[in-house]
Amino acid sequence: DSFDTISSVGSNTSVVHYKPEKASCKKLSKDEMYLIDTGGQYQDGTTDVTRTEQKRFYSRVLQGHLALATAVFPEGTCGLLLDAFARRPLWQDGMEYGHGTGHGIGAYLNVHEGPAQIGGGQVPGNKIQSSEGRRRILLMPLKAGFFVSDEPGCYKDGDFGIRIESDILATPADTPYKMSSQKFLKFDYLTLVPMCRKLVNVSLLSPVERQWVDSYHLRVWEELKDELTGDSRTWLWEATRPLEA
């Protein structure tokens, strides 16, 4: 594991960094939200991934997640500016979340690792007290090769919490126009975990967003189907079908 798994159900999912304890944990229920945030250390990289479940909230968080994942931006843009990409769909409904949208991920190091950061939240583990040090983190320019998370969320106190987190890699973007020597970047989407189809309100998604999800699920199926058998393979097939109108 790259960190202690956050596994929560019902009202416990509204606690951003919840840790199950015997005295406060709850039993799984089909009628309540379930959130799992887990990661592992592998020879070819370190992961940090969240999937969860509830419709309009989930759909807005998904839209914010995709807005960051598909962003194209000038190299050197600071993560603080990209933060608004992920928050805009939530702001439309008066939603907000009180943590950063993304953090650097170290290979065999800290799963929350600076200085790369997307958003205004403090990177856990970075013990920077001075305002100047914090300012450097917030304005750190993003460069090709930065490996970061994409994790907008929304938490209704005492009720449920939603976070969709995947790992993305900043890479050079081939733009249609080159009006200067300025280089542009995009993100390669690395995580292969299906979204929760039954919680997506398709009417909220644009055609481009819907196409992205369907294409992504096809990719997940094609890349993982031969690794699974039996019930697991059947589950993956059902989880990666096109969204239903």
Side-chain angles (χ1 to χ4, degrees):
D1 290 350
S2 57
F3 58 95
D4 290 338
T5 295
I6 301 169
S7 180
S8 53
V9 65
S11 59
N12 288 338
T13 65
S14 66
V15 181
V16 177
H17 292 113
Y18 174 82
K19 183 177 180 180
E21 302 286 354
K22 285 187 177 181
S24 61
C25 64
K26 302 177 67 173
K27 291 184 178 180
L28 286 173
S29 167
K30 292 182 178 180
D31 299 322
E32 291 186 295
M33 184 86 63
Y34 175 68
L35 181 148
I36 181 167
D37 185 349
T38 183
Q41 302 278 15
Y42 301 93
Q43 289 186 349
D44 54 355
T46 298
T47 66
D48 186 2
V49 180
T50 311
R51 290 292 181 270
T52 184
E53 307 189 31
Q54 220 156 49
K55 271 192 166 177
R56 191 173 186 97
F57 277 70
Y58 186 91
S59 299
R60 288 305 192 197
V61 173
L62 176 61
Q63 286 179 301
H65 183 80
L66 300 188
L68 177 59
T70 58
V72 177
F73 53 95
E75 185 174 41
T77 298
C78 68
L80 185 61
L81 293 179
L82 293 181
D83 185 57
F85 281 61
R87 294 181 190 267
R88 180 179 178 275
L90 286 86
W91 288 344
Q92 289 179 249
D93 280 1
M95 300 174 183
E96 180 60 295
Y97 52 95
H99 57 75
T101 300
H103 57 79
I105 300 173
Y108 291 99
L109 297 170
N110 298 322
V111 71
H112 299 96
E113 181 175 279
Q117 184 177 350
I118 298 172
Q122 178 68 49
V123 176
N126 278 3
K127 298 180 180 179
I128 296 178
Q129 304 297 328
S130 70
S131 59
E132 179 58 30
R134 180 165 173 76
R135 180 175 179 273
R136 284 199 300 271
I137 285 180
L138 295 178
L139 301 181
M140 169 61 60
L142 295 179
K143 301 178 182 179
F146 276 24
F147 182 42
V148 299
S149 67
D150 174 2
E151 52 176 302
C154 197
Y155 310 89
K156 190 175 180 181
D157 288 345
D159 194 354
F160 64 85
I162 292 167
R163 184 166 62 255
I164 302 176
E165 177 180 7
S166 291
D167 303 335
I168 54 179
L169 176 68
T171 59
D174 185 15
T175 55
Y177 302 102
K178 304 188 188 313
M179 302 181 69
S180 68
S181 60
Q182 176 68 61
K183 296 179 180 178
F184 280 74
L185 300 178
K186 63 179 180 64
F187 289 117
D188 285 352
Y189 198 92
L190 305 180
T191 299
L192 297 174
V193 178
M195 306 299 176
C196 185
R197 291 170 59 252
K198 68 180 180 181
L199 286 173
V200 178
N201 185 337
V202 179
S203 67
L204 291 177
L205 270 56
S206 71
V208 172
E209 290 168 335
R210 181 174 175 178
Q211 181 182 30
W212 190 97
V213 173
D214 286 344
S215 296
Y216 170 65
H217 280 163
L218 178 60
R219 175 190 166 202
V220 172
W221 168 251
E222 290 295 336
E223 293 201 29
L224 298 183
K225 63 181 180 181
D226 294 335
E227 304 293 328
L228 303 174
T229 59
D231 290 344
S232 296
R233 197 173 194 271
T234 299
W235 175 87
L236 185 68
W237 168 257
E238 294 173 349
T240 55
R241 294 309 85 211
L243 294 175
E244 298 178 358

